[in-house]
Amino acid sequence: GVIRRYDFTISRGVIAPDGYQRDVLLVNGAFPGPTIEANWGDTIQVKVTNNITAPEEGTAVHWHGFFQKGTPWYDGVPSISQCPIAPGKSFTYQFQADVYGSTWYHSHYSAQYAGGLFGPLVVYGPRTEKYDIDVGPVLLSDWYHAEYYDLVQEVMSPAGPGIVFSDNNLINGKNNFNCSTKPAGDNTPCTNNAGLAKFKFQRGKVHRLRLINSGAEALQRFSIDGHKMRVIANDFVSVEPYDTDVVTLGIGQRTDVLVKADGKLDAYWMRANISTICGLTRQPFAKAAIYYNGANQNKEPTSVPTNPPDPGTCVNDDLALTKPKVKMPLPKADKVLTLDIELFQNETGHTLFSFGGVAFRGNMNSPTLLLADLGNTTFDPIWNVQNTGNAKSVRVVVNNNSPIPHPMHLHGFDMYVLNEGPGAWDGSIVRASNPQRRDVIQVRGSGHVVIQFDAASNPGVWPFHCHIAWHVSAGLLTQFLTNPAQVEKMRVPNTVAETCRQWGAWTKTNIPEQ
Ligand code: C2O
């Protein structure tokens, strides 16, 4: 494979993606960040420089969905795999494109990605289905006009609901905003009709769209007026194709669809609707225009919605439908964990989540992986580390005792998804001969999801968390230390410990945001 090199400088900038001006975190001056492209088997190298000022803060970038086999220190998670990149400093990530398909990269420092620090990442691999044109990434993101750290505070505020309202919904970083709906006394500059994203279709051809939920909280329901979509992959896992009118994506999830341009009109709307039953928003609707060849691109499409009504269950497609192309039978589990999600108020009255009895709180000066590499296997209980020892395959029963649905994401692995549903698990497994696999799965409010992963095959420290930006800050994270004997033998590059020296020096004179 080839080395794909990128240089990312993270900075602050004042922009107005939907017309409402705000402070956004930019990658090389852009929102969303530039697309990373590689072929399956290549090495991706990204030098990230933290140029965030006024105020300064740390950062770290996570490459969502990669296994990072043999390189757990490049997973990009402060408190777990590295120290934050200190202001003014750089850190170079280098990892294998060991999977192919569509994904995104995003900051894993606090809720920074809700402040704009994310972008698409495409790994080209074998075509499991035929198509003519790769339309590329379609990023769906709920959008907030407030600063991410204020939103984290709001979520955790005493007697808070554990959730906040988004202000808008974007497709590839664009949408209009009705400035007259600004709250009274808000003098932020705002322009109506900021503009929508535009896509081109060739009549009669089959197009591949790479749908990515790169938002902070909301579940998206994506559709195209007058067109069916053929699902070919969920996250990094190619599936036996199935047709649908609507694709449901929780935060972090991707779905690749094929769409044939066989409509009667020459322009159509694509729509991403935030499920208002599964999240809070002041404006749930995002639109982008699709123009067939020859259409007048200055005219708005006139198509009407053909998507079915929201069922309000906040779940992904039926597990029976989502059958992986590459068959992997469910191995025997040699360890079973039951982890409950609870919403509670702590002794100071703050709203937090516990996961398996602990509300996670990390130590940004002391990443778990570095301690595990030195041979430590027990940690501060508040870090919520589960040592899975040499267990080959670990099953996790997640009981969501909160009324809020959560997109549950495991780093380092594709999870086998054994079952999902309301209430408690009845012990049954959907298609044990070849279960659905993916790296984020929705658990409904007051429901369960059961997953399994081949722990020992990938030594490291791997977070398993809700992908709603503020829920990690509020404690909804556990970390699996897998195969500690092998972790101890690994040689962590010096640059990782260097992040801690630099971060330690910076925090001596500065107090980081949590
Ligand atoms: Cu896409 Cu832990 O994150």
Side-chain angles (χ1 to χ4, degrees):
V2 168
I3 301 190
R4 307 277 166 188
R5 288 194 175 81
Y6 289 84
D7 230 309
F8 279 6
T9 300
I10 315 298
S11 65
R12 228 180 269 284
V14 177
I15 61 167
D18 62 350
Y20 182 100
Q21 191 174 297
R22 55 157 293 190
D23 230 349
V24 176
L25 291 165
L26 306 170
V27 183
N28 296 345
F31 167 80
T35 305
I36 290 180
E37 290 177 288
N39 292 320
W40 191 32
D42 287 350
T43 298
I44 298 173
Q45 187 192 81
V46 190
K47 181 182 179 192
V48 177
T49 301
N50 178 356
N51 210 9
I52 305 172
T53 54
E56 291 181 330
E57 59 187 81
T59 194
V61 181
H62 170 59
W63 322 93
H64 183 111
F66 289 94
F67 298 156
Q68 297 288 2
K69 201 173 259 193
T71 54
W73 42 82
Y74 291 138
D75 198 38
V77 188
S79 305
I80 296 173
S81 53
Q82 65 169 102
C83 287
I85 305 169
K89 302 298 183 192
S90 302
F91 182 66
T92 302
Y93 297 88
Q94 182 166 315
F95 56 95
Q96 285 285 119
D98 48 8
V99 276
Y100 57 87
S102 312
T103 193
W104 60 314
Y105 58 83
H106 60 83
S107 169
H108 219 297
Y109 178 95
S110 184
Q112 246 173 14
Y113 63 95
L117 211 178
F118 63 83
L121 197 162
V122 178
V123 180
Y124 300 98
R127 289 194 180 194
T128 59
E129 306 299 327
K130 278 205 186 116
Y131 58 90
D132 304 304
I133 294 161
D134 193 335
V135 174
V138 181
L139 297 166
L140 315 175
S141 2
D142 55 3
W143 188 243
Y144 298 77
H145 291 158
E147 292 288 348
Y148 77 85
Y149 38 82
D150 293 332
L151 295 166
V152 169
Q153 292 309 318
E154 194 181 328
V155 165
M156 293 169 60
S157 65
I163 206 159
V164 286
F165 279 90
S166 59
D167 294 293
N168 208 348
N169 195 13
L170 310 181
I171 295 182
N172 280 355
K174 291 176 187 284
N175 198 359
N176 296 325
F177 180 71
N178 179 353
C179 298
S180 71
T181 63
K182 278 196 310 185
D186 178 350
N187 297 320
T188 310
C190 184
T191 21
N192 291 307
N193 303 313
L196 306 177
K198 291 178 179 179
F199 295 86
K200 282 183 195 144
F201 272 18
Q202 291 283 327
R203 182 170 290 283
K205 301 283 189 207
V206 177
H207 301 74
R208 178 184 186 150
L209 272 63
R210 301 170 179 273
L211 310 175
I212 302 165
N213 186 336
S214 52
E217 177 177 286
L219 188 85
Q220 301 272 0
R221 290 173 48 81
F222 180 88
S223 61
I224 303 176
D225 296 353
H227 293 73
K228 286 257 180 218
M229 295 173 283
R230 174 159 291 193
V231 175
I232 60 165
N234 283 311
D235 299 344
F236 270 137
V237 180
S238 300
V239 295
E240 296 294 345
Y242 59 94
D243 290 341
T244 187
D245 292 312
V246 59
V247 174
T248 303
L249 299 117
I251 301 298
Q253 293 185 317
R254 295 86 67 210
T255 294
D256 285 66
V257 296
L258 301 184
V259 185
K260 185 161 189 200
D262 57 3
K264 292 196 174 62
L265 308 175
D266 62 4
Y268 289 90
W269 289 121
M270 59 168 74
R271 302 176 191 270
N273 295 352
I274 291 175
S275 176
T276 49
I277 301 152
C278 323
L280 302 176
T281 180
R282 300 188 176 94
Q283 197 299 96
F285 307 112
K287 285 194 296 189
I290 295 174
Y291 294 104
Y292 280 28
N293 44 313
N296 178 358
Q297 292 194 32
N298 297 318
K299 264 179 57 188
E300 288 209 330
T302 55
S303 63
V304 292
T306 49
N307 50 333
D310 187 346
T313 42
C314 313
V315 294
N316 292 124
D317 290 348
D318 200 318
L319 295 174
L321 264 182
T322 50
K323 191 174 178 183
K325 272 256 172 189
V326 176
K327 189 173 165 175
M328 284 176 64
L330 184 70
K332 187 173 99 19
D334 46 359
K335 190 178 182 72
V336 179
L337 298 165
T338 301
L339 302 177
D340 292 353
I341 298 172
E342 315 274 354
L343 184 63
F344 73 106
Q345 321 277 308
N346 72 359
E347 57 287 350
T348 54
H350 288 87
T351 303
L352 296 176
F353 286 98
S354 66
F355 193 22
V358 177
F360 162 81
R361 188 150 192 91
N363 182 342
M364 291 204 285
N365 290 291
S366 182
T368 318
L369 182 66
L370 290 186
L371 293 176
D373 186 54
L374 294 170
N376 297 287
T377 51
T378 51
F379 306 92
D380 188 331
I382 201 122
W383 297 6
N384 209 9
V385 182
Q386 319 271 345
N387 181 350
T388 65
N390 58 7
K392 284 201 175 66
S393 201
V394 175
R395 180 173 297 177
V396 187
V397 181
V398 177
N399 293 311
N400 181 11
N401 299 333
S402 78
I404 305 167
H406 301 285
M408 299 305 299
H409 172 44
L410 177 63
H411 288 224
F413 304 88
D414 279 329
M415 311 177 263
Y416 303 93
V417 184
L418 279 52
N419 215 334
E420 177 284 323
W425 183 39
D426 65 3
S428 65
I429 294 170
V430 180
R431 208 178 45 248
S433 62
N434 185 25
Q436 157 73 312
R437 304 189 302 272
R438 66 184 314 171
D439 58 51
V440 183
I441 184 74
Q442 281 286 135
V443 60
R444 62 182 85 194
S446 309
H448 67 274
V449 67
V450 183
I451 62 116
Q452 198 170 312
F453 63 102
D454 296 330
S457 69
N458 195 5
V461 185
W462 308 108
F464 180 42
H465 65 91
C466 169
H467 214 308
I468 292 176
W470 6 93
H471 286 182
V472 172
S473 303
L476 220 176
L477 181 147
T478 190
Q479 36 183 328
F480 297 116
L481 167 58
T482 58
N483 207 338
Q486 288 304 314
V487 172
E488 200 182 333
K489 286 187 196 141
M490 291 177 135
R491 280 211 212 129
V492 183
N494 292 329
T495 54
V496 182
E498 190 60 26
T499 61
C500 294
R501 281 190 285 274
Q502 293 169 342
W503 180 249
W506 185 75
T507 49
K508 262 194 193 133
T509 47
N510 298 272
I511 301 155
E513 291 283 348
Q514 286 301 318

PDB file of all heavy atoms in Angstrom, residues 62-65 75 77 104-108 113 251-252 409-411 439-440 463-467 472 477, ligand 1:
ATOM      1  N   HIS A  62     -10.117  11.510  16.176  1.00  0.00           N
ATOM      2  CA  HIS A  62     -10.449  10.081  16.103  1.00  0.00           C
ATOM      3  C   HIS A  62     -10.898   9.723  14.695  1.00  0.00           C
ATOM      4  O   HIS A  62     -11.630  10.487  14.069  1.00  0.00           O
ATOM      5  CB  HIS A  62     -11.558   9.765  17.115  1.00  0.00           C
ATOM      6  CG  HIS A  62     -12.152   8.399  16.974  1.00  0.00           C
ATOM      7  ND1 HIS A  62     -11.399   7.252  17.083  1.00  0.00           N
ATOM      8  CD2 HIS A  62     -13.420   7.988  16.732  1.00  0.00           C
ATOM      9  CE1 HIS A  62     -12.192   6.200  16.911  1.00  0.00           C
ATOM     10  NE2 HIS A  62     -13.412   6.615  16.690  1.00  0.00           N
ATOM     11  N   TRP A  63     -10.446   8.567  14.211  1.00  0.00           N
ATOM     12  CA  TRP A  63     -10.715   8.084  12.857  1.00  0.00           C
ATOM     13  C   TRP A  63     -11.767   7.003  13.000  1.00  0.00           C
ATOM     14  O   TRP A  63     -11.441   5.846  13.239  1.00  0.00           O
ATOM     15  CB  TRP A  63      -9.398   7.619  12.230  1.00  0.00           C
ATOM     16  CG  TRP A  63      -8.305   8.549  12.667  1.00  0.00           C
ATOM     17  CD1 TRP A  63      -7.485   8.395  13.749  1.00  0.00           C
ATOM     18  CD2 TRP A  63      -7.998   9.840  12.101  1.00  0.00           C
ATOM     19  NE1 TRP A  63      -6.675   9.508  13.882  1.00  0.00           N
ATOM     20  CE2 TRP A  63      -6.969  10.405  12.888  1.00  0.00           C
ATOM     21  CE3 TRP A  63      -8.492  10.568  11.002  1.00  0.00           C
ATOM     22  CZ2 TRP A  63      -6.434  11.666  12.609  1.00  0.00           C
ATOM     23  CZ3 TRP A  63      -7.951  11.812  10.736  1.00  0.00           C
ATOM     24  CH2 TRP A  63      -6.936  12.342  11.535  1.00  0.00           C
ATOM     25  N   HIS A  64     -13.015   7.426  12.905  1.00  0.00           N
ATOM     26  CA  HIS A  64     -14.136   6.601  13.334  1.00  0.00           C
ATOM     27  C   HIS A  64     -14.238   5.286  12.544  1.00  0.00           C
ATOM     28  O   HIS A  64     -14.318   5.299  11.324  1.00  0.00           O
ATOM     29  CB  HIS A  64     -15.435   7.415  13.199  1.00  0.00           C
ATOM     30  CG  HIS A  64     -16.632   6.694  13.684  1.00  0.00           C
ATOM     31  ND1 HIS A  64     -17.333   7.054  14.807  1.00  0.00           N
ATOM     32  CD2 HIS A  64     -17.257   5.599  13.203  1.00  0.00           C
ATOM     33  CE1 HIS A  64     -18.336   6.219  14.986  1.00  0.00           C
ATOM     34  NE2 HIS A  64     -18.301   5.323  14.018  1.00  0.00           N
ATOM     35  N   GLY A  65     -14.254   4.167  13.283  1.00  0.00           N
ATOM     36  CA  GLY A  65     -14.539   2.860  12.676  1.00  0.00           C
ATOM     37  C   GLY A  65     -13.319   2.050  12.291  1.00  0.00           C
ATOM     38  O   GLY A  65     -13.455   0.869  11.962  1.00  0.00           O
ATOM     39  N   ASP A  75      -5.690   6.028  18.086  1.00  0.00           N
ATOM     40  CA  ASP A  75      -7.156   6.038  18.046  1.00  0.00           C
ATOM     41  C   ASP A  75      -7.739   7.419  18.356  1.00  0.00           C
ATOM     42  O   ASP A  75      -8.914   7.671  18.107  1.00  0.00           O
ATOM     43  CB  ASP A  75      -7.685   4.981  19.031  1.00  0.00           C
ATOM     44  CG  ASP A  75      -9.133   4.602  18.778  1.00  0.00           C
ATOM     45  OD1 ASP A  75      -9.529   4.526  17.601  1.00  0.00           O
ATOM     46  OD2 ASP A  75      -9.872   4.391  19.765  1.00  0.00           O
ATOM     47  N   VAL A  77      -8.178   9.286  21.331  1.00  0.00           N
ATOM     48  CA  VAL A  77      -9.091   9.566  22.445  1.00  0.00           C
ATOM     49  C   VAL A  77      -8.333  10.030  23.683  1.00  0.00           C
ATOM     50  O   VAL A  77      -7.641   9.239  24.328  1.00  0.00           O
ATOM     51  CB  VAL A  77      -9.946   8.319  22.792  1.00  0.00           C
ATOM     52  CG1 VAL A  77     -11.025   8.686  23.810  1.00  0.00           C
ATOM     53  CG2 VAL A  77     -10.570   7.726  21.528  1.00  0.00           C
ATOM     54  N   TRP A 104     -16.054   8.987   8.820  1.00  0.00           N
ATOM     55  CA  TRP A 104     -15.709  10.372   9.121  1.00  0.00           C
ATOM     56  C   TRP A 104     -14.634  10.378  10.195  1.00  0.00           C
ATOM     57  O   TRP A 104     -14.399   9.380  10.857  1.00  0.00           O
ATOM     58  CB  TRP A 104     -16.946  11.162   9.549  1.00  0.00           C
ATOM     59  CG  TRP A 104     -17.666  10.669  10.784  1.00  0.00           C
ATOM     60  CD1 TRP A 104     -18.007   9.371  11.077  1.00  0.00           C
ATOM     61  CD2 TRP A 104     -18.160  11.455  11.877  1.00  0.00           C
ATOM     62  NE1 TRP A 104     -18.680   9.313  12.283  1.00  0.00           N
ATOM     63  CE2 TRP A 104     -18.793  10.570  12.793  1.00  0.00           C
ATOM     64  CE3 TRP A 104     -18.150  12.822  12.166  1.00  0.00           C
ATOM     65  CZ2 TRP A 104     -19.394  11.026  13.976  1.00  0.00           C
ATOM     66  CZ3 TRP A 104     -18.745  13.272  13.346  1.00  0.00           C
ATOM     67  CH2 TRP A 104     -19.365  12.365  14.223  1.00  0.00           C
ATOM     68  N   TYR A 105     -13.960  11.521  10.292  1.00  0.00           N
ATOM     69  CA  TYR A 105     -13.051  11.746  11.418  1.00  0.00           C
ATOM     70  C   TYR A 105     -13.656  12.863  12.230  1.00  0.00           C
ATOM     71  O   TYR A 105     -14.411  13.690  11.719  1.00  0.00           O
ATOM     72  CB  TYR A 105     -11.641  12.093  10.923  1.00  0.00           C
ATOM     73  CG  TYR A 105     -11.577  13.314  10.035  1.00  0.00           C
ATOM     74  CD1 TYR A 105     -11.523  14.604  10.569  1.00  0.00           C
ATOM     75  CD2 TYR A 105     -11.615  13.199   8.647  1.00  0.00           C
ATOM     76  CE1 TYR A 105     -11.488  15.729   9.757  1.00  0.00           C
ATOM     77  CE2 TYR A 105     -11.583  14.315   7.831  1.00  0.00           C
ATOM     78  CZ  TYR A 105     -11.516  15.569   8.393  1.00  0.00           C
ATOM     79  OH  TYR A 105     -11.504  16.687   7.591  1.00  0.00           O
ATOM     80  N   HIS A 106     -13.379  12.845  13.517  1.00  0.00           N
ATOM     81  CA  HIS A 106     -13.929  13.921  14.363  1.00  0.00           C
ATOM     82  C   HIS A 106     -13.087  14.062  15.605  1.00  0.00           C
ATOM     83  O   HIS A 106     -12.417  13.118  16.031  1.00  0.00           O
ATOM     84  CB  HIS A 106     -15.393  13.648  14.729  1.00  0.00           C
ATOM     85  CG  HIS A 106     -15.620  12.366  15.493  1.00  0.00           C
ATOM     86  ND1 HIS A 106     -15.448  12.277  16.847  1.00  0.00           N
ATOM     87  CD2 HIS A 106     -16.000  11.123  15.077  1.00  0.00           C
ATOM     88  CE1 HIS A 106     -15.732  11.041  17.244  1.00  0.00           C
ATOM     89  NE2 HIS A 106     -16.053  10.302  16.197  1.00  0.00           N
ATOM     90  N   SER A 107     -13.129  15.237  16.206  1.00  0.00           N
ATOM     91  CA  SER A 107     -12.450  15.444  17.472  1.00  0.00           C
ATOM     92  C   SER A 107     -13.080  14.533  18.514  1.00  0.00           C
ATOM     93  O   SER A 107     -14.273  14.281  18.505  1.00  0.00           O
ATOM     94  CB  SER A 107     -12.593  16.897  17.919  1.00  0.00           C
ATOM     95  OG  SER A 107     -12.157  17.005  19.266  1.00  0.00           O
ATOM     96  N   HIS A 108     -12.229  14.007  19.413  1.00  0.00           N
ATOM     97  CA  HIS A 108     -12.748  13.205  20.534  1.00  0.00           C
ATOM     98  C   HIS A 108     -12.428  13.905  21.850  1.00  0.00           C
ATOM     99  O   HIS A 108     -12.398  13.305  22.911  1.00  0.00           O
ATOM    100  CB  HIS A 108     -12.154  11.793  20.504  1.00  0.00           C
ATOM    101  CG  HIS A 108     -13.111  10.707  20.878  1.00  0.00           C
ATOM    102  ND1 HIS A 108     -13.681  10.611  22.124  1.00  0.00           N
ATOM    103  CD2 HIS A 108     -13.627   9.673  20.164  1.00  0.00           C
ATOM    104  CE1 HIS A 108     -14.482   9.549  22.160  1.00  0.00           C
ATOM    105  NE2 HIS A 108     -14.470   8.968  20.980  1.00  0.00           N
ATOM    106  N   TYR A 113     -16.620  18.129  18.431  1.00  0.00           N
ATOM    107  CA  TYR A 113     -17.142  17.925  17.072  1.00  0.00           C
ATOM    108  C   TYR A 113     -18.484  18.610  16.874  1.00  0.00           C
ATOM    109  O   TYR A 113     -18.860  18.907  15.737  1.00  0.00           O
ATOM    110  CB  TYR A 113     -17.173  16.448  16.651  1.00  0.00           C
ATOM    111  CG  TYR A 113     -18.054  15.503  17.435  1.00  0.00           C
ATOM    112  CD1 TYR A 113     -19.337  15.200  17.014  1.00  0.00           C
ATOM    113  CD2 TYR A 113     -17.577  14.855  18.572  1.00  0.00           C
ATOM    114  CE1 TYR A 113     -20.137  14.306  17.705  1.00  0.00           C
ATOM    115  CE2 TYR A 113     -18.363  13.969  19.279  1.00  0.00           C
ATOM    116  CZ  TYR A 113     -19.645  13.695  18.844  1.00  0.00           C
ATOM    117  OH  TYR A 113     -20.439  12.810  19.528  1.00  0.00           O
ATOM    118  N   ILE A 251     -26.103   9.006  15.452  1.00  0.00           N
ATOM    119  CA  ILE A 251     -24.806   9.689  15.386  1.00  0.00           C
ATOM    120  C   ILE A 251     -23.683   8.679  15.157  1.00  0.00           C
ATOM    121  O   ILE A 251     -23.621   7.654  15.820  1.00  0.00           O
ATOM    122  CB  ILE A 251     -24.526  10.459  16.700  1.00  0.00           C
ATOM    123  CG1 ILE A 251     -25.608  11.499  16.998  1.00  0.00           C
ATOM    124  CG2 ILE A 251     -23.145  11.118  16.663  1.00  0.00           C
ATOM    125  CD1 ILE A 251     -25.740  12.586  15.993  1.00  0.00           C
ATOM    126  N   GLY A 252     -22.818   8.998  14.206  1.00  0.00           N
ATOM    127  CA  GLY A 252     -21.664   8.154  13.910  1.00  0.00           C
ATOM    128  C   GLY A 252     -21.938   7.094  12.870  1.00  0.00           C
ATOM    129  O   GLY A 252     -21.011   6.509  12.322  1.00  0.00           O
ATOM    130  N   HIS A 409     -21.452   3.155  20.428  1.00  0.00           N
ATOM    131  CA  HIS A 409     -20.304   2.974  19.526  1.00  0.00           C
ATOM    132  C   HIS A 409     -19.167   2.260  20.230  1.00  0.00           C
ATOM    133  O   HIS A 409     -18.753   2.669  21.314  1.00  0.00           O
ATOM    134  CB  HIS A 409     -19.834   4.350  19.034  1.00  0.00           C
ATOM    135  CG  HIS A 409     -18.557   4.309  18.253  1.00  0.00           C
ATOM    136  ND1 HIS A 409     -18.300   3.371  17.281  1.00  0.00           N
ATOM    137  CD2 HIS A 409     -17.446   5.100  18.304  1.00  0.00           C
ATOM    138  CE1 HIS A 409     -17.086   3.588  16.767  1.00  0.00           C
ATOM    139  NE2 HIS A 409     -16.549   4.629  17.370  1.00  0.00           N
ATOM    140  N   LEU A 410     -18.643   1.218  19.573  1.00  0.00           N
ATOM    141  CA  LEU A 410     -17.464   0.522  20.077  1.00  0.00           C
ATOM    142  C   LEU A 410     -16.269   0.838  19.186  1.00  0.00           C
ATOM    143  O   LEU A 410     -16.348   0.708  17.960  1.00  0.00           O
ATOM    144  CB  LEU A 410     -17.710  -1.001  20.100  1.00  0.00           C
ATOM    145  CG  LEU A 410     -16.518  -1.874  20.534  1.00  0.00           C
ATOM    146  CD1 LEU A 410     -16.088  -1.589  21.971  1.00  0.00           C
ATOM    147  CD2 LEU A 410     -16.855  -3.364  20.375  1.00  0.00           C
ATOM    148  N   HIS A 411     -15.170   1.252  19.798  1.00  0.00           N
ATOM    149  CA  HIS A 411     -13.917   1.472  19.059  1.00  0.00           C
ATOM    150  C   HIS A 411     -13.216   0.128  18.824  1.00  0.00           C
ATOM    151  O   HIS A 411     -13.356  -0.794  19.614  1.00  0.00           O
ATOM    152  CB  HIS A 411     -12.969   2.363  19.865  1.00  0.00           C
ATOM    153  CG  HIS A 411     -13.395   3.795  19.948  1.00  0.00           C
ATOM    154  ND1 HIS A 411     -12.516   4.834  19.780  1.00  0.00           N
ATOM    155  CD2 HIS A 411     -14.588   4.377  20.186  1.00  0.00           C
ATOM    156  CE1 HIS A 411     -13.151   5.992  19.922  1.00  0.00           C
ATOM    157  NE2 HIS A 411     -14.414   5.742  20.172  1.00  0.00           N
ATOM    158  N   ASP A 439     -20.368  -0.642  13.653  1.00  0.00           N
ATOM    159  CA  ASP A 439     -19.641  -0.068  14.786  1.00  0.00           C
ATOM    160  C   ASP A 439     -20.450   0.903  15.645  1.00  0.00           C
ATOM    161  O   ASP A 439     -19.973   1.321  16.696  1.00  0.00           O
ATOM    162  CB  ASP A 439     -18.292   0.527  14.346  1.00  0.00           C
ATOM    163  CG  ASP A 439     -18.414   1.614  13.289  1.00  0.00           C
ATOM    164  OD1 ASP A 439     -19.209   2.547  13.505  1.00  0.00           O
ATOM    165  OD2 ASP A 439     -17.731   1.531  12.259  1.00  0.00           O
ATOM    166  N   VAL A 440     -21.677   1.237  15.202  1.00  0.00           N
ATOM    167  CA  VAL A 440     -22.600   1.996  16.061  1.00  0.00           C
ATOM    168  C   VAL A 440     -23.975   1.342  15.937  1.00  0.00           C
ATOM    169  O   VAL A 440     -24.422   1.048  14.822  1.00  0.00           O
ATOM    170  CB  VAL A 440     -22.763   3.473  15.644  1.00  0.00           C
ATOM    171  CG1 VAL A 440     -23.673   4.227  16.632  1.00  0.00           C
ATOM    172  CG2 VAL A 440     -21.420   4.190  15.522  1.00  0.00           C
ATOM    173  N   PRO A 463     -12.789   2.399  23.912  1.00  0.00           N
ATOM    174  CA  PRO A 463     -14.009   2.952  24.485  1.00  0.00           C
ATOM    175  C   PRO A 463     -15.267   2.319  23.879  1.00  0.00           C
ATOM    176  O   PRO A 463     -15.275   1.951  22.701  1.00  0.00           O
ATOM    177  CB  PRO A 463     -13.960   4.437  24.100  1.00  0.00           C
ATOM    178  CG  PRO A 463     -12.581   4.707  23.615  1.00  0.00           C
ATOM    179  CD  PRO A 463     -12.002   3.402  23.184  1.00  0.00           C
ATOM    180  N   PHE A 464     -16.274   2.179  24.694  1.00  0.00           N
ATOM    181  CA  PHE A 464     -17.620   1.787  24.259  1.00  0.00           C
ATOM    182  C   PHE A 464     -18.528   2.842  24.874  1.00  0.00           C
ATOM    183  O   PHE A 464     -18.601   2.944  26.100  1.00  0.00           O
ATOM    184  CB  PHE A 464     -17.936   0.379  24.787  1.00  0.00           C
ATOM    185  CG  PHE A 464     -19.306  -0.141  24.409  1.00  0.00           C
ATOM    186  CD1 PHE A 464     -19.820   0.037  23.127  1.00  0.00           C
ATOM    187  CD2 PHE A 464     -20.078  -0.844  25.340  1.00  0.00           C
ATOM    188  CE1 PHE A 464     -21.079  -0.476  22.777  1.00  0.00           C
ATOM    189  CE2 PHE A 464     -21.324  -1.359  24.996  1.00  0.00           C
ATOM    190  CZ  PHE A 464     -21.827  -1.179  23.712  1.00  0.00           C
ATOM    191  N   HIS A 465     -19.126   3.668  24.012  1.00  0.00           N
ATOM    192  CA  HIS A 465     -19.813   4.838  24.563  1.00  0.00           C
ATOM    193  C   HIS A 465     -21.010   5.255  23.721  1.00  0.00           C
ATOM    194  O   HIS A 465     -21.138   4.855  22.565  1.00  0.00           O
ATOM    195  CB  HIS A 465     -18.829   6.014  24.682  1.00  0.00           C
ATOM    196  CG  HIS A 465     -18.293   6.532  23.371  1.00  0.00           C
ATOM    197  ND1 HIS A 465     -18.911   7.541  22.665  1.00  0.00           N
ATOM    198  CD2 HIS A 465     -17.199   6.201  22.646  1.00  0.00           C
ATOM    199  CE1 HIS A 465     -18.208   7.806  21.570  1.00  0.00           C
ATOM    200  NE2 HIS A 465     -17.172   6.995  21.518  1.00  0.00           N
ATOM    201  N   CYS A 466     -21.836   6.083  24.320  1.00  0.00           N
ATOM    202  CA  CYS A 466     -22.905   6.724  23.557  1.00  0.00           C
ATOM    203  C   CYS A 466     -22.257   7.797  22.700  1.00  0.00           C
ATOM    204  O   CYS A 466     -21.427   8.572  23.174  1.00  0.00           O
ATOM    205  CB  CYS A 466     -23.922   7.342  24.496  1.00  0.00           C
ATOM    206  SG  CYS A 466     -25.082   8.407  23.610  1.00  0.00           S
ATOM    207  N   HIS A 467     -22.647   7.873  21.417  1.00  0.00           N
ATOM    208  CA  HIS A 467     -22.025   8.853  20.521  1.00  0.00           C
ATOM    209  C   HIS A 467     -22.704  10.227  20.543  1.00  0.00           C
ATOM    210  O   HIS A 467     -22.367  11.108  19.756  1.00  0.00           O
ATOM    211  CB  HIS A 467     -21.924   8.301  19.106  1.00  0.00           C
ATOM    212  CG  HIS A 467     -20.706   8.754  18.358  1.00  0.00           C
ATOM    213  ND1 HIS A 467     -20.361  10.092  18.249  1.00  0.00           N
ATOM    214  CD2 HIS A 467     -19.732   8.077  17.712  1.00  0.00           C
ATOM    215  CE1 HIS A 467     -19.241  10.183  17.545  1.00  0.00           C
ATOM    216  NE2 HIS A 467     -18.836   8.982  17.215  1.00  0.00           N
ATOM    217  N   VAL A 472     -21.000  11.615  26.601  1.00  0.00           N
ATOM    218  CA  VAL A 472     -19.701  11.137  27.093  1.00  0.00           C
ATOM    219  C   VAL A 472     -19.241  12.041  28.238  1.00  0.00           C
ATOM    220  O   VAL A 472     -18.810  11.566  29.290  1.00  0.00           O
ATOM    221  CB  VAL A 472     -18.649  11.102  25.966  1.00  0.00           C
ATOM    222  CG1 VAL A 472     -17.278  10.790  26.533  1.00  0.00           C
ATOM    223  CG2 VAL A 472     -19.020  10.054  24.919  1.00  0.00           C
ATOM    224  N   LEU A 477     -19.700   6.266  29.210  1.00  0.00           N
ATOM    225  CA  LEU A 477     -18.568   5.610  28.536  1.00  0.00           C
ATOM    226  C   LEU A 477     -17.968   4.553  29.446  1.00  0.00           C
ATOM    227  O   LEU A 477     -17.837   4.753  30.659  1.00  0.00           O
ATOM    228  CB  LEU A 477     -17.504   6.658  28.170  1.00  0.00           C
ATOM    229  CG  LEU A 477     -16.246   6.164  27.443  1.00  0.00           C
ATOM    230  CD1 LEU A 477     -15.722   7.217  26.461  1.00  0.00           C
ATOM    231  CD2 LEU A 477     -15.124   5.764  28.390  1.00  0.00           C
TER     232      LEU A 477
HETATM  233 CU1  C2O B   1     -16.939   8.407  16.377  1.00  0.00          CU
HETATM  234 CU2  C2O B   1     -15.620   7.422  20.193  1.00  0.00          CU
HETATM  235  O1  C2O B   1     -16.244   7.976  18.365  1.00  0.00           O
END
